[in-house]
């Protein structure tokens, strides 16, 4: 279906909340400005100020969160009656260089890039807020809606926990979000009931022991061998101590030891992630990982110090809220614009909200139709087809209008 036929899509005539050409142009420019000025987690001061200024220009009253970045904003006054629907965006960028070529809006900040699409998420929620604010002024918004622009999603255990402490869930009955997906064409979304992301924790291990000459390894703790065995054997041991269907996996990203070819070192380090598809297995993971590392380190006479940093549980989509997103997308673009999506091994701190309220996350297609190049998330050349902004805004406005508020 061509984009020129958007006005004829199912439900457009009967359901308000679509974008004007002027607002669509403004939102693309807003997203590009964010893309050029990425900020890391808990440092999103410029981003927060830009969002706040635009909401205030629309006559709204946003409140900056207690941490000093991020903000929330209600459209309409909640009177303690039916709970609100919250629309959530994350606003932080990644500590990697933007490697796009011939892109007028590439990052202007060295070693910083919006390579996960948070600039798109932010623009979608902002745009939805502006449209819903106008509907509220016209008396056409059935109940209040909360906008949430959350900092530090990329910083474990995620800024969601701090946002919850700031009171963002007070009065909220359900919450929705989108996440850019470069495997899905712009104009489409992916939906899934149940787990849609995985748990993700950070693991840091230090091994110590008396070193010595490589001519006499029997008189030392051979830490290079010890750290190699921990790296190779811990994932295998873990795989045999949990149900394989839980998808509990330890994957290393860094290993470091030694300075000379003929010196057995006294210290070694390795770090990585623990990912898990299943919520119950994730809860058991710290004890399982600690035990496996200690056993293997002891076997090689190394002393282990383990720093297991809890990250995020899986995002588990509520079936009722997922159906709301399905109905909203169908009303805008038709049922053919929705595809099933698999559970990802990526982590997302949206999951912390869903420990308190039901909610759902949709995969927002950002691949230019016909483009078969792989532009993966967390890569310096990541970019999004900006038609996704229109799709995301109109998905959210439809959801706010269709939400039964029970």
């Amino acid at each position: 279906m061509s984009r020129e036929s958007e006005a004829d899509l199912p439900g457009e005539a009967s359901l308000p909340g679509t974008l004007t050409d002027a607002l669509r142009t403004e939102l693309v420019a807003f997203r590009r400005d964010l893309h050029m000025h990425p900020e890391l987690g808990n440092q999103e001061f410029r981003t927060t100020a830009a969002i706040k200024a635009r909401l205030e220009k629309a006559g709204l009253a946003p409140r900056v969160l207690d941490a000093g970045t991020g903000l929330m904003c209600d459209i309409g006054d909640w009177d303690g009656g039916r709970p609100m629907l919250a629309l959530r965006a994350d606003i932080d960028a990644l500590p990697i260089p933007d490697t796009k070529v011939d892109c007028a809006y590439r990052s202007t900040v060295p070693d910083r890039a919006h390579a996960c699409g948070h600039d798109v998420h932010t623009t979608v929620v902002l745009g939805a807020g502006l449209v819903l604010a106008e509907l509220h002024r016209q008396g056409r918004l059935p109940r209040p809606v909360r906008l949430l622009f959350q900092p530090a999603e990329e910083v474990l255990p995620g800024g969601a926990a701090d946002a919850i402490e700031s009171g963002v869930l007070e009065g909220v009955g359900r919450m929705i979000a989108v996440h850019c997906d470069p495997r899905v064409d712009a104009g489409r979304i992916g939906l899934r009931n149940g787990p849609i992301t995985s748990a993700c924790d950070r693991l840091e291990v230090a091994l110590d022991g008396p070193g010595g000459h490589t001519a006499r390894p029997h008189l030392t703790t051979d830490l290079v061998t010890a750290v190699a065995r921990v790296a190779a054997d811990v994932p295998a041991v873990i795989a045999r101590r949990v149900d394989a269907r839980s998808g509990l996996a330890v994957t290393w990203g860094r290993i470091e030891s030694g300075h000379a070819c003929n010196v057995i070192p006294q210290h070694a380090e390795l770090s990585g992630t623990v990912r898990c598809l299943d919520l119950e297995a994730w809860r058991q993971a710290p004890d399982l990982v600690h035990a496996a590392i200690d056993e293997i380190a002891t076997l090689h006479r190394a002393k282990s110090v383990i720093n297991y940093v809890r990250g995020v549980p899986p995002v588990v989509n509520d079936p009722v809220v997922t159906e709301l997103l399905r109905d909203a997308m169908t009303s805008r673009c038709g049922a053919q614009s929705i595809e099933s999506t698999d559970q990802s091994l990526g982590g997302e701190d949206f999951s912390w909200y869903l420990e308190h309220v039901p909610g759902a996350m949709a995969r927002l297609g950002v691949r230019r139709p016909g483009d078969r190049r792989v532009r993966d998330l967390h890569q310096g050349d990541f970019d999004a087809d900006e038609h996704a902004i229109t799709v995301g805004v109109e998905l959210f406005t439809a959801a706010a209008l269709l939400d039964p508020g029970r």
Side-chain angles (χ1 to χ4, degrees):
M1 182 176 295
S2 68
R3 296 178 187 176
E4 289 74 15
S5 62
E6 285 176 347
D8 301 323
L9 291 171
E12 292 256 345
S14 59
L15 192 67
T18 56
L19 283 175
T20 64
D21 289 342
L23 184 53
R24 181 182 291 108
T25 299
E26 179 190 351
L27 291 176
V28 168
F30 189 90
R31 179 258 168 171
R32 292 185 177 188
D33 180 72
L34 294 185
H35 201 84
M36 292 172 67
H37 301 93
E39 297 174 300
L40 299 184
N42 296 314
Q43 301 173 25
E44 312 95 333
F45 297 104
R46 183 186 185 278
T47 303
T48 298
I51 301 165
K52 183 174 183 286
R54 185 59 184 93
L55 293 173
E56 289 176 338
K57 182 180 178 181
L60 298 170
R63 175 175 75 82
V64 176
L65 301 184
D66 294 345
T69 61
L71 62 160
M72 58 182 281
C73 181
D74 289 351
I75 301 170
D77 298 320
W78 184 63
D79 59 5
R82 287 184 296 181
M84 288 182 285
L85 175 71
L87 316 179
R88 177 266 197 174
D90 37 13
I91 67 174
D92 57 324
L94 287 162
I96 63 175
D98 188 334
T99 60
K100 292 190 293 297
V101 178
D102 297 327
C103 177
Y105 52 87
R106 65 180 294 179
S107 173
T108 62
V109 184
D111 299 320
R112 303 286 186 268
H114 269 296
C116 199
H118 293 189
D119 54 334
V120 174
H121 307 164
T122 299
T123 305
V124 164
V125 173
L126 174 65
L130 297 176
V131 173
L132 292 172
E134 179 59 30
L135 291 178
H136 176 63
R137 282 189 286 272
Q138 298 170 7
R140 303 172 75 185
L141 185 64
R143 65 191 55 83
V145 173
R146 174 163 296 163
L147 313 178
L148 172 58
F149 300 90
Q150 177 217 301
E153 189 276 331
E154 299 286 356
V155 181
L156 289 178
D162 290 335
I164 292 169
E165 287 294 318
S166 291
V168 300
L169 292 182
E170 182 180 355
V172 170
R174 56 184 67 183
M175 180 176 282
I176 56 176
V178 293
H179 198 294
C180 290
D181 191 335
R183 303 165 301 170
V184 178
D185 285 350
R188 301 176 63 81
I189 65 168
L191 290 177
R192 176 185 173 88
N193 282 329
I196 191 171
T197 69
S198 301
C200 179
D201 299 334
R202 186 172 78 244
L203 179 61
E204 299 167 343
V205 182
L207 299 180
D208 291 285
H213 201 293
T214 55
R216 293 174 288 279
H218 59 290
L219 301 179
T220 74
T221 292
D222 187 352
L223 279 184
V224 173
T225 297
V227 75
R229 295 321 313 170
V230 168
D233 293 348
V234 166
V237 169
I238 294 297
R240 291 296 178 267
R241 293 184 179 177
V242 294
D243 190 323
R245 292 170 295 184
S246 70
L248 180 59
V250 176
T251 306
W252 306 106
R254 184 183 72 91
I255 186 167
E256 185 175 337
S257 184
H259 300 283
C261 67
N262 62 344
V263 178
I264 294 174
Q266 300 179 49
H267 183 75
E269 296 179 358
L270 65 167
S271 57
T273 60
V274 180
R275 298 182 186 271
C276 188
L277 300 174
D278 179 74
L279 185 59
E280 288 306 314
W282 176 71
R283 289 172 176 153
Q284 301 170 26
D287 290 341
L288 292 171
V289 171
H290 271 264
I293 292 171
D294 284 340
E295 288 173 20
I296 295 166
T298 299
L299 181 65
H300 292 275
R301 297 185 296 174
K303 178 183 178 181
S304 62
V305 177
I306 302 166
N307 182 27
Y308 192 109
V309 181
R310 263 309 196 194
V312 294
V315 172
V316 181
N317 280 353
D318 177 81
V320 174
V321 185
T322 303
E323 196 62 25
L324 172 63
L325 288 171
R326 185 179 304 278
D327 290 343
M329 190 63 178
T330 300
S331 74
R332 295 299 194 201
C333 301
Q336 75 283 352
S337 64
I338 303 168
E339 59 186 66
S340 297
T341 190
D342 294 329
Q343 183 179 4
S344 164
L345 277 170
E348 233 291 350
D349 76 350
F350 184 67
S351 55
W352 290 123
Y353 301 111
L354 305 193
E355 297 275 298
H356 302 273
V357 298
M361 171 175 281
R363 304 285 187 196
L364 180 66
V366 296
R367 181 176 63 192
R368 185 172 298 279
D371 186 354
R372 293 297 167 234
R373 290 175 295 175
V374 177
R375 299 181 185 273
D376 203 2
L377 300 172
H378 289 214
Q379 299 296 317
D381 65 347
F382 173 80
D383 202 359
D385 185 327
E386 290 167 322
H387 177 56
I389 296 171
T390 297
V391 175
V393 169
E394 297 186 353
L395 170 69
F396 277 176
T397 57
L401 294 168
L402 294 172
D403 178 28
R406 292 190 295 269

